[in-house]
Amino acid sequence: MKVRFCFLTVVALMAIFFLTACRDAVIPMETDTADPAQTTATPTVITDTADPAQATTTPAVSEETTEGSGREKTTTDNHVHAYTSWETVSAPDCTHTGGARRTCTICGNVQTKTTDALGHDYGGTLTCSRCGETRGDSVGLAFEKNTGGTYTLKGRGTCEDADIVIPATYQGIAVTEIGDFAFSGNGKPKNVSMTSVYIPDGVTRIGNEVFFNCRNLKSVRLPETLTYMGASQFSYCDALKEITLPESLTDVDVTAVNGVPRVNIKDFGQIFKLRFSGTNIDAPGFFCGCQVYINGEHITSVTIPANVQTVSRYIFSVTSAFKEIVVPPTVTRIEQYAFRGSTLQSLTVPFLGERATNQSNLGYFFAASDLYGNNEFTNCNGRWIPKSLKTLTFTGDVFPGVSGCTMLKKVILTSTALEEIKGGSSTNSNDKGAFEGCTALTTVVLPEGLRVIGEWAFAQCSALKTVNLPEGITSIGNYAFRNCEALKEITFPHSLTSVGHGVFQNLYYSVTVTYRGTEEEWNALVPLDTAQYITVKYQPD
């Protein structure tokens, strides 16, 4: 009995073994995945089939790119697909999706995918630039009647539009204002998702923070009738890349367009017509965080129009938009801190201070303290001047000097009425020569008509290489070029009648002077302590 039981057991085990072997011998169906256990859902709709007409959804596949092949290779269990580039089958438009396909060059396998609809592009107008569709006024916006009988837009109301068109009239009466916070994104998801706003002509006033925190806002059309715009209109509008200011604008809060990457204007004259509100001594400049374009051209150099008399502290301060500013002699007043926090490289001015009759120094135009906590500014006479400022052109008749301004490399004096380069004092350390201590200064251009170079005028200008002394100069003061270590050659005009002591002190034979007179005249003119350590060449007129 036991033998029979064992025999049946052996037969059963052999049968199980045989069935298992047959199952494993079955050839698997061809798939397009390298490891089914690692397959994940594909984020885009891509179908994969040998027959496009019978396309089915493809599991995820492992991918590798052959460098320089221009083809994407996809590995399956059986071979590596070598796909062509995606070919557009149907292009998307504003409201319809599109499609694309690519084919394996080995087996003919086809993948297809869907491309998103483009959406309308109104670009601050009422007509889509892609399809020509004209949008109508938004419905459901909230309005409030003003005491003057017109309407103010107060907010979104029940409107669901992402592209807002504000109507020119409400209930047959003109809409003239947009109220404070009307579309503010704070705590209002529908406003955050808003993508464009069209403001019609007829609106004259836009309140404070109307578009604050509208992070998806891409375009805002400002009306040609706008006269006032309030504070922080576009703060945190991350998607807004540009705004165009209408010429009608006369009054603005100084922060109105802060942070908009591109501000378009017709000409710079319209900016000087603006009256700024919401200002204080620490307020940012009007163009803080902006770059300026005039008729499509990027502007980094500005010449102030001749009809402008006052330069406001809120136009050029705290901005990196401008590299060169030219203030013409017709300007009679420059407000304090006019260029505070700027990144100027070149500045032309007719005076250093508020007015020509009330001059102080170059630092007047800049910050009184280091508000920025970085290395972009240098302390000059108690003012923080940008290290980027390398060239100063002075067009006035009286030059108070730039002593201690260690960032300047070149100074140009242009007025033929300028007669004297201010001197310093040997007994009062606070009374310095015009250029004393300008250690980066390499070039000074002096005007015809100059008569006097004062004591210590260029002392400690250790980088000074070039200075012209025009014919007509009659006097050079004591220690005028003391410690000008880089100065190797200089020409003294024949017009000189007085040369001070120690003019080239501590230079010790490093300077060659070309004198436009005779040796006898030189010996009678120049003190021994000035002449003894220099080389002189005589070139009589």
Side-chain angles (χ1 to χ4, degrees):
M1 187 69 180
K2 289 182 178 179
V3 173
R4 184 177 180 185
F5 176 79
C6 290
F7 175 77
L8 292 174
T9 299
V10 170
V11 171
L13 290 172
M14 291 178 65
I16 292 170
F17 177 80
F18 177 78
L19 291 172
T20 301
C22 290
R23 183 198 64 189
D24 292 340
V26 175
I27 299 174
M29 294 182 66
E30 180 175 330
T31 67
D32 237 12
T33 179
D35 184 1
Q38 298 178 2
T39 300
T40 57
T42 314
T44 56
V45 180
I46 298 180
T47 59
D48 200 353
T49 178
D51 182 358
Q54 300 177 3
T56 58
T57 301
T58 307
V61 293
S62 61
E63 299 179 350
E64 62 177 4
T65 301
T66 301
E67 186 175 356
S69 67
R71 301 181 299 176
E72 181 183 340
K73 290 192 173 183
T74 307
T75 305
T76 70
D77 286 340
N78 301 294
H79 70 276
V80 177
H81 285 310
Y83 285 109
T84 60
S85 299
W86 286 105
E87 175 189 359
T88 300
V89 176
S90 59
D93 59 24
C94 293
T95 56
H96 300 91
T97 59
R101 58 182 284 171
R102 61 181 182 178
T103 305
C104 175
T105 58
I106 298 173
C107 67
N109 191 69
V110 175
Q111 282 189 338
T112 62
K113 69 175 180 179
T114 300
T115 52
D116 294 336
L118 301 175
H120 292 297
D121 182 10
Y122 293 107
T125 69
L126 294 178
T127 304
C128 175
S129 62
R130 294 193 180 104
C131 68
E133 177 178 295
T134 300
R135 52 181 173 165
D137 294 341
S138 293
V139 177
L141 297 172
F143 295 91
E144 180 178 273
K145 202 164 190 178
N146 302 321
T147 55
T150 60
Y151 275 99
T152 294
L153 173 71
K154 299 299 291 183
R156 174 181 282 272
T158 60
C159 180
E160 299 288 335
D161 295 348
D163 296 303
I164 300 290
V165 178
I166 299 171
T169 61
Y170 178 69
Q171 296 181 345
I173 298 174
V175 176
T176 59
E177 298 184 25
I178 299 176
D180 294 348
F181 319 113
F183 294 108
S184 173
N186 283 355
K188 300 176 182 178
K190 289 182 180 178
N191 287 344
V192 172
S193 63
M194 183 171 59
T195 56
S196 71
V197 176
Y198 182 91
I199 305 175
D201 289 346
V203 171
T204 60
R205 182 181 179 87
I206 298 176
N208 297 316
E209 299 184 16
V210 170
F211 305 103
F212 187 89
N213 202 33
C214 291
R215 295 184 179 273
N216 292 294
L217 184 65
K218 294 181 179 179
S219 68
V220 175
R221 188 266 184 180
L222 299 178
E224 294 297 331
T225 52
L226 187 66
T227 58
Y228 175 80
M229 189 160 57
S232 303
Q233 292 299 322
F234 309 108
S235 295
Y236 305 107
C237 293
D238 300 338
L240 185 67
K241 302 306 180 185
E242 65 178 311
I243 196 77
T244 298
L245 299 181
E247 291 184 82
S248 56
L249 200 61
T250 57
D251 295 84
V252 294
D253 186 277
V254 71
T255 64
V257 296
N258 282 183
V260 179
R262 172 171 174 161
V263 176
N264 301 310
I265 58 178
K266 183 176 180 181
D267 63 66
F268 222 91
Q270 75 181 88
I271 300 302
F272 287 96
K273 297 175 184 176
L274 295 178
R275 293 185 291 268
F276 295 106
S277 59
T279 57
N280 59 68
I281 204 68
D282 293 324
F286 184 63
F287 291 114
C288 180
C290 311
Q291 296 294 314
V292 180
Y293 289 73
I294 296 181
N295 296 322
E297 180 183 355
H298 185 202
I299 300 300
T300 60
S301 177
V302 175
T303 297
I304 295 174
N307 62 345
V308 173
Q309 293 185 331
T310 298
V311 177
S312 165
R313 70 167 53 96
Y314 300 110
I315 295 178
F316 298 112
S317 64
V318 197
T319 178
S320 61
F322 309 108
K323 304 304 179 187
E324 180 182 17
I325 295 174
V326 177
V327 181
T330 50
V331 168
T332 58
R333 179 172 180 254
I334 302 175
E335 291 186 349
Q336 193 172 21
Y337 312 137
F339 310 117
R340 174 180 65 103
S342 66
T343 57
L344 281 176
Q345 296 175 2
S346 176
L347 177 63
T348 299
V349 288
F351 46 84
L352 299 180
E354 182 183 15
R355 302 177 185 274
T357 55
N358 184 28
Q359 294 201 76
S360 53
N361 56 55
L362 180 63
Y364 168 89
F365 302 135
F366 300 94
S369 60
D370 184 12
L371 302 175
Y372 315 100
N374 57 40
N375 294 320
E376 299 302 316
F377 301 85
T378 186
N379 191 335
C380 172
N381 295 321
R383 294 290 187 267
W384 292 86
I385 299 177
K387 289 183 178 179
S388 58
L389 183 61
K390 302 302 181 185
T391 302
L392 173 69
T393 301
F394 184 84
T395 60
D397 298 342
V398 178
F399 181 57
V402 289
S403 60
C405 293
T406 57
M407 85 300 297
L408 289 173
K409 288 190 173 183
K410 184 175 184 178
V411 175
I412 303 170
L413 306 178
T414 64
S415 174
T416 56
L418 177 64
E419 294 188 350
E420 180 178 3
I421 301 299
K422 173 185 173 295
S425 170
S426 298
T427 59
N428 183 357
S429 61
N430 293 321
D431 184 9
K432 297 185 180 299
F435 297 98
E436 187 173 351
C438 293
T439 54
L441 190 67
T442 62
T443 304
V444 175
V445 178
L446 302 176
E448 299 292 333
L450 190 67
R451 296 292 180 264
V452 176
I453 293 179
E455 297 183 0
W456 301 82
F458 296 95
Q460 279 59 260
C461 291
S462 54
L464 185 64
K465 295 179 179 179
T466 304
V467 56
N468 67 306
L469 300 182
E471 190 65 38
I473 287 180
T474 60
S475 176
I476 297 177
N478 299 333
Y479 312 110
F481 297 99
R482 183 179 188 270
N483 291 338
C484 292
E485 300 164 3
L487 187 64
K488 303 303 179 185
E489 295 183 343
I490 191 169
T491 298
F492 277 17
H494 193 211
S495 55
L496 278 170
T497 58
S498 173
V499 175
H501 294 279
V503 171
F504 300 106
Q505 191 175 57
N506 298 334
L507 300 188
Y508 302 114
Y509 300 110
S510 63
V511 178
T512 297
V513 175
T514 299
Y515 177 53
R516 297 297 188 185
T518 65
E519 183 175 358
E520 291 74 20
E521 290 172 319
W522 174 265
N523 291 332
L525 176 67
V526 180
L528 180 62
D529 60 356
T530 290
Q532 65 182 343
Y533 295 122
I534 60 176
T535 301
V536 182
K537 294 180 180 179
Y538 304 104
Q539 292 183 357
D541 293 336

